[in-house]
Amino acid sequence: MIKYLRTAALAATSTLLLALPMQAQELNFFTIGTGGTAYTYYPVGGVIANAISKPPGSRECGKGGSCGVDGLIASAVSSRGSVDNVNAIISGLRNSGFAQSDVAYWAYTGTGTMEGKEPAKDLRTIAALFEEHIHLVALADSGINSVADLKGKRVSLDEPGSGTYVDANLILEANGLSADMITAEALKGGAASEALRNGKIDAFFVVAGYPTGSLVELASAASIKLVPIDGAGADALTSKYGFFAASDIPAGAYEGVGTTTTVAVGAQWFTSANEDEELIYNITKALWNDESRKLLDVGHAKGKTITPATALNGVGVPLHAGSERFYKEAGLLK
């Protein structure tokens, strides 16, 4: 019995000693505002959250464990999109979030669609991620072949607070239309797809990296088209707003849909200037390490386009001091 008690005591002491480093390690939680679960921001956010996380007790990097930031638990949070994420960052509700480059720049400067509002001067960039294309979706037999054909139709512009809502209104304006000239709805993701299939709307806008999940599902269940956003309207949009660029969604991105010319903007990752410099430095470093590269390449179709070489493309909002330090050390920024 004495021998048993000694063995049990030794085992308990060993367990306690093993647990001490885990308890002593500082634990940080870090949120990433994304978008609707049916679109691109959310799954990409999940991949990035996984890449930068390293909870206490994780195996060492290179030994089958995480190569993220020690003690960090990051989580991707569904949201209404770009505008919502920027507002949440500035208010302190979220640590970081994804947003379209145009929305973020207008918020930072108090210009464009944010004119008259207090500039979000504490907004900072972590990285440019990938290109987002504006999808204008309709049924194949709808007779809608251009933006001009939306006049008098029932069209979902997405929810106010999303980047899609902002860009949809700009596209209407560039083509001589307005929300008053259509029956505007505010549906998101699967709800918009379902409404289109059931004949409750005639078309809807989505700003997302292709292929986006909800549209892949829709195209497999119904004959759809992507309506081109081109011609004089697209020229007016790209000349007035430098964030937009003409770009194609290739054939095969969605079942039965051919190559479609449209316009695109950049998806970027933002945080607040008030976030700790060392933490953001380590998060940026973790994002671009070799193990994160593996996760990005297999985690989502857009992951392969998220690279250090494009991390500073189209950045219009100042870098966070921590990110800036990393890019200088990596030779990506002078």
Side-chain angles (χ1 to χ4, degrees):
M1 177 64 72
I2 292 173
K3 183 179 179 181
Y4 171 79
L5 291 174
R6 285 175 177 171
T7 303
L10 180 61
T13 302
S14 299
T15 301
L16 178 61
L17 290 173
L18 288 171
L20 282 175
M22 187 183 300
Q23 292 172 350
Q25 185 177 12
E26 185 180 354
L27 189 63
N28 285 312
F29 294 92
F30 192 84
T31 51
I32 305 171
T34 59
T37 55
Y39 293 156
T40 310
Y41 277 8
Y42 185 75
V44 169
V47 174
I48 289 177
N50 189 32
I52 67 173
S53 294
K54 188 176 182 180
S58 298
R59 291 182 180 181
E60 288 302 310
C61 177
K63 297 180 180 180
S66 170
C67 296
V69 181
D70 286 337
L72 187 71
I73 299 177
S75 58
V77 181
S78 178
S79 77
R80 289 187 295 172
S82 294
V83 177
D84 185 35
N85 289 336
V86 168
N87 290 336
I89 291 166
I90 297 307
S91 68
L93 181 63
R94 296 185 194 117
N95 301 106
S96 71
F98 300 161
Q100 294 164 202
S101 55
D102 55 338
V103 170
Y105 178 78
W106 288 328
Y108 175 73
T109 57
T111 59
T113 60
M114 305 296 180
E115 190 168 356
K117 296 184 179 180
E118 186 73 20
K121 288 298 184 184
D122 283 338
L123 194 63
R124 293 292 184 272
T125 304
I126 295 176
L129 299 176
F130 56 87
E131 195 175 47
E132 292 191 279
H133 287 71
I134 288 112
H135 301 61
L136 176 52
V137 188
L139 293 178
D141 60 358
S142 64
I144 299 173
N145 299 307
S146 68
V147 177
D149 291 335
L150 295 178
K151 185 176 181 179
K153 298 293 195 300
R154 298 162 297 175
V155 184
S156 175
L157 307 180
D158 208 315
E159 295 176 338
S162 69
T164 297
Y165 182 83
V166 172
D167 288 351
N169 279 282
L170 292 176
I171 289 165
L172 291 175
E173 179 187 347
N175 285 272
L177 300 176
S178 69
D180 295 335
M181 299 169 73
I182 62 172
T183 300
E185 301 288 348
L187 303 175
K188 198 170 195 70
S193 294
E194 192 66 23
L196 185 72
R197 286 184 63 190
N198 293 334
K200 294 181 179 179
I201 60 173
D202 300 302
F204 65 94
F205 285 91
V206 175
V207 180
Y210 65 78
T212 187
S214 64
L215 297 188
V216 170
E217 292 179 13
L218 176 61
S220 68
S223 295
I224 66 167
K225 67 168 63 173
L226 294 180
V227 180
I229 300 173
D230 56 8
D235 292 343
L237 189 71
T238 55
S239 62
K240 185 175 182 179
Y241 302 110
F243 304 101
F244 291 102
S247 188
D248 289 347
I249 297 173
Y254 304 103
E255 185 178 333
V257 179
T259 301
T260 307
T261 299
T262 183
V263 290
V265 294
Q268 299 179 353
W269 187 12
F270 299 94
T271 188
S272 168
N274 298 317
E275 291 289 337
D276 181 71
E277 179 180 335
E278 192 67 19
L279 174 63
I280 301 300
Y281 167 81
N282 286 323
I283 284 174
T284 310
K285 186 176 182 179
L287 173 65
W288 301 123
N289 70 36
D290 291 341
E291 293 302 313
S292 295
R293 175 78 272 141
K294 296 174 186 176
L295 291 174
L296 289 168
D297 286 346
V298 301
H300 191 273
K302 275 294 177 187
K304 291 182 179 180
T305 69
I306 302 174
T307 68
T310 59
L312 301 176
N313 285 5
V315 171
V317 174
L319 290 166
H320 188 281
S323 296
E324 183 177 11
R325 174 154 62 98
F326 170 79
Y327 291 123
K328 285 181 176 178
E329 288 180 2
L332 298 170
L333 184 68
K334 293 183 180 180

